[in-house]
Amino acid sequence: MLTNNSQEISSGSYIAVPPASNIPTPQVGQPSTTYDYLALIPVLITAATPLILGLKKKDKDKNEDKGDEN
């Protein structure tokens, strides 16, 4: 018979995961460094590239349409 505190565990896969105590927590009030800003440059380029290419293609399509009208 099981007590109130015990749990029945099936014979399947059971993985016990200990609580993580070494998870880094953000420090509030710490000023950003130059490295922090430089590390964001590749991310910003990656995010902006589809937008820039989309605008260029849209402008190119408009110019081609104007050339066809004349």
Side-chain angles (χ1 to χ4, degrees):
M1 185 168 161
L2 298 173
T3 61
N4 290 341
N5 292 340
S6 67
Q7 294 179 350
E8 186 177 338
I9 300 173
S10 67
S11 61
S13 298
Y14 178 75
I15 301 173
V17 179
S21 62
N22 59 353
I23 297 174
T25 56
Q27 296 178 359
V28 178
Q30 184 179 11
S32 298
T33 63
T34 305
Y35 176 78
D36 294 330
Y37 292 112
L38 291 176
L40 290 177
I41 291 174
V43 174
L44 294 174
I45 292 171
T46 303
T49 299
L51 298 173
I52 294 169
L53 293 177
L55 291 175
K56 280 187 173 182
K57 184 174 187 211
K58 194 173 186 181
D59 291 340
K60 188 176 180 182
D61 291 342
K62 283 184 181 179
N63 290 338
E64 288 176 359
D65 291 341
K66 288 181 182 178
D68 292 340
E69 291 175 2
N70 291 333

